[in-house]
């Protein structure tokens, strides 16, 4: 049995480089290859300044009247139905106004524009309003399928697989490791026959509504994600007890080196147990980070925490309602996530339940039809996806920023000089 275990160990180590999901065979962008890639990588996450008293900030924030979240922009209300040329002209002429709506309201739901029913028109739309496209942040780890199947396409699939139709995608901001796009545009090319709604939630309202004690504890202790589980090491128990500790140390070092060579952020490997039989596993944890950030333009505090999608407990609770995900390959089982306090402490079931309740209270279900687009600020607006039946084809483009962003920042500075907003005092 020991010989078999050693053979499996060698196979496991040699396969570590393949642990990222084998979605497509796209090359990872590195510092050397970035210059040759037309689409720039997703920008580094802008965490903003540290807040000295998060409880006081939340108390003040509760007194403020927030703008309407995710207003709708309809072609029918503008007299533009069925007029693609006029629709494109409208977007060009009103580009700054649309981006300001996204900035002020967190998201804009754009409905009834025939222009965006096909990928070419969708790309014309976001180019017309001056959005600066970037790579999927997942590119630093693996490659997400593109909507048209072309290698260098800037439009990516938005989790349409039939095998994941009963998997409720929890609310999250898009970021991987150290990278987060500033904005995104989600488009519907074909709506699912049943369900499949695109879900959005305002991070500012999340921050406002959460329990102050929990907000303070999460912010002061930070949060930390487990981004991968490798449940392949039960065979270590077959070794004599005196040999297990040094063997586990060696395994941890080898796997850590292999994984950190593949991703562009620091990953720490920790031993744990998983499954019904408590099999030994290695868990990859990302660096700790704040659950609340100061917005890069407005300076507003906003919830920037993926507990709703990453918590193992919340996912299991949803499985009892929707059924378990049907895994297609081992990669899906490896890429299991969880969330902890930044010091690796466990978040209680009661705390998780509260965050789930506040999240769902703020979720808006957006039933999109062909050509509909949700343009969102990735720092202010969380997103997710409901379960579905039928065939669903939604896609997404990520943006590093937009034309006029610096002008928005300068305008904000001018207004602050006249009257500093409460959250900057």
């Amino acid at each position: 049995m020991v010989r078999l275990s050693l053979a499996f160990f060698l196979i496991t180590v040699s396969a570590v480089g393949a642990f990222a999901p084998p979605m497509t065979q796209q090359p990872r962008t590195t510092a050397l290859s970035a210059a040759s890639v037309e689409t720039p990588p997703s920008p580094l996450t802008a965490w903003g300044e540290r807040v000295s008293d998060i409880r006081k900030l939340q108390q003040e924030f509760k007194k403020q009247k927030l703008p309407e979240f995710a207003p709708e922009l309809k072609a029918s209300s503008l007299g533009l139905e069925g007029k693609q040329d006029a629709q494109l002209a409208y977007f060009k002429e009103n580009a700054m106004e649309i981006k300001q709506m996204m900035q002020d309201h967190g998201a804009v739901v754009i409905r009834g524009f025939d222009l965006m029913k096909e990928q070419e028109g969708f790309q014309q739309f976001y180019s017309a309003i001056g959005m600066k496209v970037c790579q999927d942040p997942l590119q630093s780890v693996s490659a997400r399928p593109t909507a048209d199947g072309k290698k260098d396409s800037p439009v990516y699939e938005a989790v349409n697989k039939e095998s994941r139709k009963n998997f409720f995608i929890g609310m999250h901001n898009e970021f991987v490791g150290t990278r987060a796009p500033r904005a995104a545009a989600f488009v519907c090319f074909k709506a699912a026959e049943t369900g499949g709604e695109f879900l959005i939630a305002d991070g500012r309202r999340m921050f406002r509504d959460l329990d102050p004690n929990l907000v303070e504890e999460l912010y002061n202790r930070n949060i930390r994600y487990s981004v991968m589980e490798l449940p392949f090491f039960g065979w270590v128990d077959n070794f004599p007890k005196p040999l297990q500790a040094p063997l586990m140390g060696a395994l941890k070092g080898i796997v850590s080196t292999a994984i950190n060579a593949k991703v562009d952020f620091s990953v720490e490997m920790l031993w744990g147990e998983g499954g019904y039989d408590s099999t030994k596993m290695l868990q990859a944890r990302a660096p700790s980070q704040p659950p609340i950030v100061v917005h890069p333009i407005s300076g507003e505090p906003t919830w920037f925490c993926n507990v709703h999608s990453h918590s193992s407990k919340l996912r299991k609770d949803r499985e009892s309602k929707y059924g378990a995900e049907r895994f297609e390959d081992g990669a899906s089982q490896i890429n299991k996530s969880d969330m902890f306090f930044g010091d690796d402490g466990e978040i209680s079931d009661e705390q998780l339940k509260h965050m789930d309740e506040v999240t769902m209270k703020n979720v808006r279900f957006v039933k999109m039809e062909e050509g509909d687009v949700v343009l969102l600020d990735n720092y202010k607006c969380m997103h997710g996806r409901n379960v579905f039946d039928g065939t669903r084809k939604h896609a997404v483009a990520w943006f590093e920023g937009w034309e006029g962003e610096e002008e928005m920042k300068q305008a904000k500075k001018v207004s602050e000089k006249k009257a500093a907003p409460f959250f900057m005092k």
Side-chain angles (χ1 to χ4, degrees):
M1 189 65 181
V2 172
R3 289 181 181 177
L4 178 60
S5 298
L6 285 173
F8 182 67
F9 160 66
L10 293 173
I11 294 171
T12 300
V13 170
S14 67
V16 164
F19 282 158
M23 298 175 181
T24 59
Q25 297 299 314
Q26 296 185 24
R28 170 177 170 246
T29 300
T30 64
L32 292 175
S33 65
S36 63
V37 178
E38 184 177 349
T39 305
S42 182
L44 297 174
T45 306
W47 299 109
E49 295 182 8
R50 187 79 182 174
V51 177
S52 59
D53 190 337
I54 197 70
R55 180 185 284 266
K56 181 180 178 181
L57 178 60
Q58 188 193 35
Q59 289 174 346
E60 292 295 322
F61 200 71
K62 287 177 180 288
K63 301 174 185 177
Q64 307 305 307
K65 183 178 180 180
L66 292 174
E68 175 191 3
F69 175 58
E72 294 195 352
L73 185 63
K74 297 181 179 180
S76 58
S77 300
L78 299 167
L80 295 174
E81 288 181 296
K83 305 173 183 177
Q84 292 195 24
D85 290 342
Q87 291 172 5
L88 185 59
Y90 171 82
F91 290 130
K92 290 179 179 178
E93 292 167 7
N94 296 275
M96 201 63 190
E97 180 183 349
I98 293 169
K99 289 178 288 192
Q100 191 66 58
M101 286 177 66
M102 174 193 71
Q103 180 59 213
D104 294 340
H105 300 277
V108 183
V109 180
I110 304 171
R111 293 191 179 278
F113 287 81
D114 300 286
L115 177 68
M116 290 89 86
K117 288 185 175 181
E118 303 289 341
Q119 180 168 326
E120 182 180 357
F122 173 58
Q123 291 181 242
Q124 289 176 340
F125 152 73
Y126 67 67
S127 296
I129 63 172
M131 303 303 292
K132 299 179 180 178
V133 73
C134 69
Q135 292 177 5
D136 188 332
L138 191 63
Q139 194 78 10
S140 64
V141 178
S142 65
R144 194 194 307 259
T146 57
D148 60 7
K150 295 180 180 178
K151 177 180 175 182
D152 297 321
S153 173
V155 181
Y156 301 87
E157 272 197 26
V159 195
N160 302 311
K161 286 184 177 180
E162 196 273 342
S163 62
R164 305 197 75 189
K165 68 179 185 179
N166 65 329
F167 182 69
F168 183 100
I169 298 177
M171 304 306 293
H172 62 284
N173 304 93
E174 199 70 27
F175 67 91
V176 177
T178 58
R179 298 189 178 276
R182 283 284 292 105
F186 288 83
V187 62
C188 172
F189 293 139
K190 184 190 178 303
E193 282 72 8
T194 305
E197 293 91 345
F198 184 61
L199 313 181
I200 52 176
D202 189 344
R204 295 168 295 183
R205 286 174 167 82
M206 283 291 302
F207 171 67
R208 179 196 65 189
D209 295 344
L210 284 164
D211 177 76
N213 293 324
L214 178 59
V215 166
E216 188 171 49
E217 183 175 10
L218 286 168
Y219 193 76
N220 290 338
R221 293 176 67 179
N222 269 1
I223 58 171
R224 193 178 193 192
Y225 298 107
S226 165
V227 295
M228 180 186 295
E229 291 182 1
L230 308 179
F232 307 131
F233 301 101
W235 50 267
V236 171
D237 292 330
N238 296 318
F239 281 78
K241 284 287 184 183
L243 296 180
Q244 288 184 21
L247 176 58
M248 289 168 66
L251 283 168
K252 177 180 175 180
I254 293 171
V255 174
S256 178
T257 299
I259 291 178
N260 277 290
K262 187 173 180 63
V263 301
D264 67 354
F265 57 96
S266 177
V267 171
E268 180 184 8
M269 304 303 300
L270 298 177
W271 281 104
E273 295 180 342
Y276 66 91
D277 56 354
S278 298
T279 299
K280 276 189 174 64
M281 68 173 182
L282 274 171
Q283 194 176 68
R285 296 195 182 180
S288 69
Q289 61 192 54
I292 297 149
V293 299
V294 174
H295 191 270
I297 292 180
S298 68
E300 295 166 286
T302 182
W303 182 247
F304 195 77
C305 175
N306 290 351
V307 62
H308 198 248
S309 63
H310 279 52
S311 166
S312 174
K313 169 70 166 57
L314 295 184
R315 283 200 312 276
K316 287 178 181 177
D317 289 347
R318 290 194 290 266
E319 283 182 3
S320 66
K321 179 178 181 180
Y322 300 113
E325 180 180 8
R326 300 203 308 275
F327 296 116
E328 287 190 335
D329 49 48
S332 297
Q333 299 180 54
I334 290 168
N335 291 338
K336 289 183 177 179
S337 61
D338 208 346
M339 196 183 92
F340 306 85
F341 284 108
D343 54 16
D344 292 315
E346 295 281 345
I347 299 173
S348 72
D349 288 354
E350 182 180 356
Q351 290 171 323
L352 289 170
K353 179 182 178 183
H354 172 67
M355 286 187 278
D356 179 53
E357 290 173 347
V358 173
T359 300
M360 294 309 297
K361 167 190 165 185
N362 283 286
V363 165
R364 176 173 161 188
F365 284 63
V366 181
K367 184 62 177 177
M368 299 172 69
E369 301 297 336
E370 291 182 22
D372 288 353
V373 170
V374 177
L375 180 69
L376 60 82
D377 182 314
N378 187 46
Y379 284 80
K380 288 184 178 179
C381 181
M382 309 172 74
H383 64 274
R385 192 218 66 199
N386 193 17
V387 298
F388 69 94
D389 276 316
T391 303
R392 182 182 190 270
K393 188 171 178 59
H394 286 224
V396 59
W398 308 109
F399 308 116
E400 63 174 350
W402 55 85
E403 295 173 9
E405 185 175 5
E406 287 304 315
E407 287 83 346
M408 287 185 183
K409 291 179 181 178
Q410 291 304 317
K412 185 65 181 175
K413 289 180 181 178
V414 171
S415 66
E416 287 172 2
K417 288 181 180 179
K418 295 179 179 178
F422 72 93
F423 46 80
M424 297 298 290
K425 293 177 182 178

